[in-house]
Amino acid sequence: MNASLTPGQTKVDTVKLLINGQWVESKTTEWRDVVNPATQEVLARVPFATVEEVDAAISAGQRAFKTWRDTPIGARMRIMLKLQALIREHSKRIAITLSAEQGKTIADAEGDIFRGLEVVEHACSIGSLQMGEFAENVAGGVDTYTLRQPIGVCAGITPFNFPAMIPLWMFPMAIVCGNTFVLKPSEQDPLSTMMLVELAIEAGVPAGVLNVVHGGKQVVDALCTHTDIKAISFVGSTEVGTHVYNLAGQHGKRVQSMMGAKNHAVVLPDANREQTLNALVGAGFGAAGQRCMATSVAVLVGKAREWLPELKALAAKLTVNAGSEPGTDVGPLISKRAKERVLGLIESGIREGAKLELDGREVSVPGYEQGNFVGPTLFSGVTTEMQIYTQEIFGPVLVVLEVDTLDEAIALVNRNPFGNGTGLFTQSGAAARKFQNEIDVGQVGINIPIPVPVPYFSFTGSRGSKLGDLGPYGKQVVQFYTQTKTVTSRWFDDDSVNDGVNTTISLR
């Protein structure tokens, strides 16, 4: 079934569902165009799956779980080893597709894939990650040990801004723990996600262990309420994440929901000036600001406020262009709607009295005049009541606040409801230790602008940025995707002494 075609096109492919190992053309009547945000070219059409198709995907996962859960750990691990090798082999090809559908630069798209690949590599250590505990002789001849067992069919709902990394946070760890999985990629850019799913099937993931459905709220709600779904992992906006957490929780699911952010970088005047300014510009405007871990607020402390002209000059040098073009620093936003929202928030900043130091609203990119571009935008004179501070802009907009002391900076950050990430730039070990101890944010960088931990540690966003106790990778995610069973055992031989009847709860 072809989409409405743009001039010069002859065919638009449709994105398939994956149900029980089969690539399925959806029977839905509702479709959405996958659009290149730099050119508005329609790349493909994605279906909004029917309730019956979602049910079929979950049923396939339920049937496959009966045998997959008993598959030896070594066999599951070898599939992950094969998958990581395939991702490495095809990463450049996937990055080109990711850049076309999402707008990222090729280099940033490759980074998106690599950060997900790290989690796949960590999944290859499942033999040690899924170990239980054992204590011998807790009472006379009695041993106690724990088993970490899979929980069943799990589901993942992923955002548009990391179509490779976030899916790879989810399904590899879930299935290597012995679960089966239903993935719902972002309907805005599912093509690179589906390429990774194809590689997973090629790596040996059996039919029904990994299933894929596409869609919007109806599909999300179906996953959250279905009896056979045991756990839901979500990454995306605060509004949707709160809805998923509440709805799935009401239906007895385990839920981890990673949501919005307003990440601060606190700059002390003793910081390495050049390195700090480079970090602020890269973390503030890279990926067009469409990162949940983007630095969107710079807090200049004391004499560091004198660095503002240099910050402005450095940001002004960034090249805005299509992600596919060499030398691009800032690509387009994902959609026209996203651009309109960012422009509206910039207007609100001007209206509320902030000083627009650098204006990216009228940027024009030759050859890509229809693209969803907003150039680097910098505000100073920002207060904590302004919308450009209180709302997550999710665009290439950096706002600057000024305070006199580190204590004031810490208090400012801690008052913000979000707690995803923060950073401190300083050369003082004492200041860094004070900051990391007193700051109420889940992930802290010291001279690191985007403190996303490597997969050996857990992603630990907090407060308004996270609902649920456990993070999406690292040791915590093994807990999320398994249930602990504790066994207390005692064995007798024929010559054992009969202890008689014991009516107490103690072990002897």
Side-chain angles (χ1 to χ4, degrees):
M1 185 184 295
N2 287 338
S4 301
L5 304 179
T6 56
Q9 286 184 292
T10 58
K11 181 183 178 182
V12 172
D13 291 332
T14 56
V15 183
K16 304 299 188 291
L17 310 175
L18 177 63
I19 299 176
N20 198 34
Q22 300 296 313
W23 300 104
V24 178
E25 187 81 48
S26 177
K27 293 182 171 58
T28 187
T29 58
E30 185 178 0
W31 296 78
R32 176 172 180 156
D33 290 341
V34 179
V35 177
N36 183 319
T39 65
Q40 307 308 315
E41 174 192 3
V42 177
L43 303 175
R45 298 180 77 216
V46 61
F48 279 37
T50 66
V51 172
E52 293 76 16
E53 289 166 340
V54 176
D55 286 345
I58 297 171
S59 294
Q62 184 69 6
R63 291 191 302 272
F65 178 65
K66 295 176 182 178
T67 54
W68 178 245
R69 64 170 297 166
D70 294 326
T71 301
I73 283 181
R76 289 185 249 143
M77 180 185 68
R78 284 188 285 274
I79 290 174
M80 291 299 114
L81 287 167
K82 180 69 179 296
L83 176 58
Q84 66 87 23
L86 287 170
I87 292 173
R88 286 186 180 278
E89 179 183 349
H90 295 279
S91 61
K92 291 190 180 298
R93 177 174 65 90
I94 298 170
I96 291 170
T97 297
L98 197 160
S99 175
E101 64 176 343
Q102 203 277 341
K104 292 185 179 188
T105 66
I106 296 295
D108 198 27
E110 290 178 342
D112 186 335
I113 296 164
F114 179 76
R115 291 310 304 266
L117 175 63
E118 289 182 317
V119 176
V120 180
E121 291 172 339
H122 195 227
C124 297
S125 302
I126 192 61
S128 57
L129 295 175
Q130 203 170 343
M131 283 184 178
E133 299 172 311
F134 185 93
E136 185 181 29
N137 229 33
V138 297
V142 177
D143 303 327
T144 297
Y145 51 95
T146 60
L147 310 173
R148 284 211 163 273
Q149 297 184 323
I151 57 177
V153 187
C154 304
I157 301 163
T158 64
F160 75 84
N161 57 330
F162 284 95
M165 182 181 77
I166 303 297
L168 291 176
W169 280 8
M170 294 183 183
F171 76 80
M173 288 305 304
I175 65 178
V176 82
C177 286
N179 303 289
T180 56
F181 203 80
V182 179
L183 176 66
K184 194 211 83 68
S186 170
E187 66 278 12
Q188 297 190 77
D189 51 5
L191 302 180
S192 48
T193 305
M194 296 306 290
M195 295 171 77
L196 293 167
V197 170
E198 289 174 2
L199 295 182
I201 301 304
E202 184 179 344
V205 173
V209 172
L210 175 59
N211 304 275
V212 182
V213 293
H214 305 282
K217 184 178 184 300
Q218 182 182 29
V219 172
V220 169
D221 288 357
L223 293 172
C224 290
T225 58
H226 198 287
T227 304
D228 289 336
I229 294 289
K230 303 303 180 185
I232 297 273
S233 182
F234 171 88
V235 177
S237 71
T238 298
E239 179 183 3
V240 179
T242 303
H243 170 75
V244 167
Y245 183 81
N246 290 333
L247 182 62
Q250 290 165 9
H251 286 80
K253 321 297 183 196
R254 293 185 181 185
V255 190
Q256 51 177 213
S257 187
M258 308 296 124
M259 307 183 298
K262 198 72 178 180
N263 305 311
H264 300 68
V266 176
V267 180
L268 298 186
D270 71 336
N272 183 298
R273 195 162 182 152
E274 183 178 3
Q275 293 292 340
T276 299
L277 290 171
N278 285 336
L280 292 177
V281 171
F285 304 117
Q290 297 177 121
R291 296 172 176 148
C292 67
M293 290 295 291
T295 297
S296 53
V297 182
V299 183
L300 305 183
V301 180
K303 290 187 177 181
R305 53 171 52 98
E306 298 172 4
W307 299 8
L308 181 60
E310 294 171 73
L311 179 62
K312 173 182 174 180
L314 192 59
K317 294 179 181 179
L318 296 179
T319 299
V320 181
N321 207 336
S324 58
E325 295 291 343
T328 298
D329 297 306
V330 180
L333 295 170
I334 186 66
S335 66
K336 289 187 177 297
R337 181 179 177 183
K339 178 179 177 180
E340 290 169 1
R341 181 179 180 277
V342 171
L343 293 178
L345 284 166
I346 294 173
E347 291 291 345
S348 78
I350 298 169
R351 188 169 58 250
E352 293 178 347
K355 182 179 179 182
L356 186 59
E357 299 279 355
L358 187 63
D359 188 352
R361 290 175 295 174
E362 301 300 326
V363 65
S364 178
V365 179
Y368 296 96
E369 288 78 9
Q370 300 304 311
N372 309 321
F373 295 100
V374 175
T377 300
L378 182 66
F379 278 103
S380 65
V382 177
T383 66
T384 56
E385 295 78 27
M386 295 177 179
Q387 288 188 68
I388 54 173
Y389 177 78
T390 60
Q391 294 193 31
E392 184 178 27
I393 300 174
F394 229 59
V397 181
L398 179 63
V399 304
V400 176
L401 286 79
E402 300 176 3
V403 297
D404 293 326
T405 67
L406 176 59
D407 284 327
E408 290 179 72
I410 291 172
L412 186 153
V413 176
N414 286 346
R415 284 196 301 270
N416 190 281
F418 292 110
N420 214 29
T422 189
L424 175 71
F425 290 85
T426 182
Q427 297 202 65
S428 166
R433 194 171 191 279
K434 174 184 176 67
F435 185 82
Q436 71 184 34
N437 182 54
E438 297 182 11
I439 207 71
D440 187 15
V441 174
Q443 296 170 127
V444 180
I446 305 298
N447 298 313
I448 298 288
I450 303 178
V452 179
V454 295
Y456 321 121
F457 294 85
S458 297
F459 190 95
T460 52
S462 62
R463 294 196 284 141
S465 295
K466 176 184 177 182
L467 291 171
D469 295 332
L470 300 172
Y473 60 74
K475 293 179 181 178
Q476 290 186 7
V477 83
V478 177
Q479 294 177 262
F480 182 75
Y481 285 128
T482 60
Q483 56 191 350
T484 301
K485 182 180 291 182
T486 305
V487 180
T488 303
S489 68
R490 185 178 188 182
W491 297 95
F492 302 97
D493 57 37
D494 291 340
D495 297 324
S496 297
V497 176
N498 190 339
D499 290 337
V501 176
N502 180 10
T503 61
T504 72
I505 61 172
S506 64
L507 294 174
R508 298 187 301 203

